[in-house]
Amino acid sequence: MDKEMYDVTIIGGGPIGLFAAFYGGMRQLKVKIIESLPHLGGQLNALYPEKYIYDIAGFPQTKAKDLVDSLVNQAMQFEPTVVLNQTVEGVVKTDDGYFQMVTNKEMHYSKTILISAGIGAFEPRRLNFEHAKQYEGKNLHYFINDLNHFADKDICILGGGDSAVDWALMMEPIANKVSIIHRRNNFRAHEASVRKLEDSDVNILKPYNLKEIHGDDEYIQSITIQNLETNECVSVELDELITNYGFVSSLGPIKEWGLEFHKNSIIVDSTMRTNVEGIYAAGDIVTFKGKVKLIATGFSDAATAISSIKTYIDPKARQQPQHSTSLFEKIKA
């Protein structure tokens, strides 16, 4: 258990949380990040690490994973404490004004909290087979971080949305064989992507549903799929199984912390302050008049929130900091 007190604990290690951690270091705050996923980067890493993002200032296009890598490198300059695979389940404000945060594993302590949880904690829709879990982290995948892992292999992809189709198209040039298995006759991906898929060498199996998983103690070796129109069953051998059945997202316990909400967004003022003194929020999880939900505007929210936290902790500090060049010269000195 880490009983150490932090100036700010950032709930959510996505792009906004990472930039907030960096900016917290710039303002010489002691920072901790708590992330529910097993890695930093939030949705960018979990859903589409190999996809391009086009609305980051100064970058005509950048891969999601490359943006995450840059944000992590930027934040780690100031050595924030990073806690992964933990979800904050409860927050208590003590009589002396500090916060105790209870996760699914331990207790954390902080002077302030910055919520940058995006659309909330989320996890993949997992396969509903009793023995499927034993293959996670082996050759059953809900997340894809490295395309090269799938080179020269026989790949099966379950799903029919944008992510499933995109992964099939990206893997087709490098894999030995790619099969995509969808339970409906029509894909739910963008029309242009579906056309590319139909023109590719990807083996399209529809309308089929997963019926059984076959494997040893280590790896899945094949699956049985069933045609939903004819009931015919087919066995498909594979090296890797990728499941793209979507993600379940929820604000969960955050809604029980006494914060004011409009729909599923936390109401903040122009300083990113919530109605609970000492708790701030930034990014897609917040709402205020004129709010635009982009990564670019989330970065602005994060900088504003951190500056507000700095003055909350140290009333003599300035809300408007010096330019980064001057700040870095002082920090590095």
Side-chain angles (χ1 to χ4, degrees):
M1 182 178 293
D2 181 5
K3 293 185 177 180
E4 196 170 352
M5 180 68 67
Y6 288 80
D7 291 326
V8 56
T9 296
I10 299 167
I11 299 176
I16 310 310
L18 287 168
F19 186 71
F22 160 73
Y23 209 71
M26 287 277 286
R27 297 305 307 265
Q28 296 185 284
L29 296 174
K30 186 176 181 180
V31 178
K32 175 183 279 186
I33 301 172
I34 300 178
E35 167 58 51
S36 63
L37 292 172
H39 51 71
L40 293 170
Q43 293 185 66
L44 297 189
N45 252 353
L47 301 184
Y48 43 87
E50 295 285 346
K51 289 187 179 180
Y52 284 105
I53 300 172
Y54 300 94
D55 56 2
I56 303 299
F59 294 89
Q61 66 178 35
T62 181
K63 279 189 177 181
K65 69 173 185 178
D66 293 338
L67 177 60
V68 169
D69 288 345
S70 295
L71 286 165
V72 169
N73 289 336
Q74 185 181 41
M76 294 306 136
Q77 295 177 90
F78 297 105
E79 301 180 348
T81 297
V82 177
V83 178
L84 301 175
N85 267 324
Q86 291 194 30
T87 301
V88 179
E89 298 176 343
V91 171
V92 175
K93 193 171 186 180
T94 64
D95 292 338
D96 53 12
Y98 297 147
F99 292 96
Q100 294 177 341
M101 290 161 287
V102 180
T103 72
N104 53 318
K105 295 182 180 179
E106 58 183 324
M107 182 89 76
H108 302 267
Y109 303 86
S110 190
K111 297 176 184 177
T112 65
I113 296 172
L114 172 53
I115 303 170
S116 61
I119 58 174
F122 65 106
E123 60 180 33
R125 297 183 188 274
R126 287 178 160 80
L127 295 181
N128 190 25
F129 292 88
E130 184 177 351
H131 60 297
K133 190 172 180 60
Q134 74 183 77
Y135 299 114
E136 292 182 20
K138 297 174 182 176
N139 69 336
L140 171 59
H141 308 274
Y142 297 103
F143 304 99
I144 298 174
N145 296 317
D146 182 10
L147 274 178
N148 294 324
H149 174 79
F150 301 90
D152 302 319
K153 294 182 179 180
D154 291 345
I155 315 298
C156 280
I157 300 173
L158 303 173
D162 283 309
S163 291
V165 172
D166 287 347
W167 285 126
L169 290 171
M170 287 185 220
M171 290 185 180
E172 190 257 341
I174 66 169
N176 180 57
K177 181 180 179 180
V178 177
S179 298
I180 185 167
I181 300 162
H182 183 38
R183 64 181 180 271
R184 296 188 176 92
N185 277 309
N186 297 314
F187 288 100
R188 294 171 288 109
H190 288 106
E191 292 86 347
S193 298
V194 174
R195 282 197 296 271
K196 288 181 181 178
L197 181 71
E198 292 171 343
D199 291 338
S200 74
D201 291 328
V202 173
N203 182 31
I204 300 173
L205 297 167
K206 60 184 177 74
Y208 280 91
N209 201 27
L210 180 64
K211 187 173 179 62
E212 294 178 2
I213 295 174
H214 310 283
D216 55 24
D217 292 338
E218 292 294 322
Y219 298 103
I220 299 172
Q221 297 168 333
S222 67
I223 57 175
T224 298
I225 57 175
Q226 183 176 34
N227 189 298
L228 296 179
E229 293 178 348
T230 67
N231 291 326
E232 174 194 12
C233 289
V234 176
S235 178
V236 182
E237 294 185 354
L238 57 85
D239 297 313
E240 308 285 344
L241 179 62
I242 300 166
T243 301
N244 284 127
Y245 286 159
F247 286 75
V248 179
S249 173
S250 173
L251 293 179
I254 293 177
K255 284 224 168 184
E256 309 301 320
W257 298 353
L259 302 168
E260 290 183 357
F261 283 84
H262 176 66
K263 296 182 179 179
N264 277 328
S265 297
I266 300 171
I267 298 172
V268 295
D269 64 14
S270 60
T271 68
M272 301 299 118
R273 182 177 57 186
T274 71
N275 62 298
V276 177
E277 187 178 13
I279 298 183
Y280 299 76
D284 283 355
I285 201 168
V286 308
T287 184
F288 52 85
K289 187 176 180 180
K291 170 65 179 174
V292 177
K293 295 192 175 185
L294 294 173
I295 293 176
T297 57
F299 292 153
S300 174
D301 293 348
T304 299
I306 288 295
S307 292
S308 300
I309 288 168
K310 178 70 175 180
T311 58
Y312 175 80
I313 293 174
D314 179 9
K316 295 181 180 179
R318 300 195 307 175
Q319 174 79 16
Q320 176 62 50
Q322 294 175 287
H323 294 299
S324 60
T325 304
S326 301
L327 281 173
F328 256 100
E329 287 175 354
K330 288 185 177 180
I331 293 169
K332 301 289 186 182

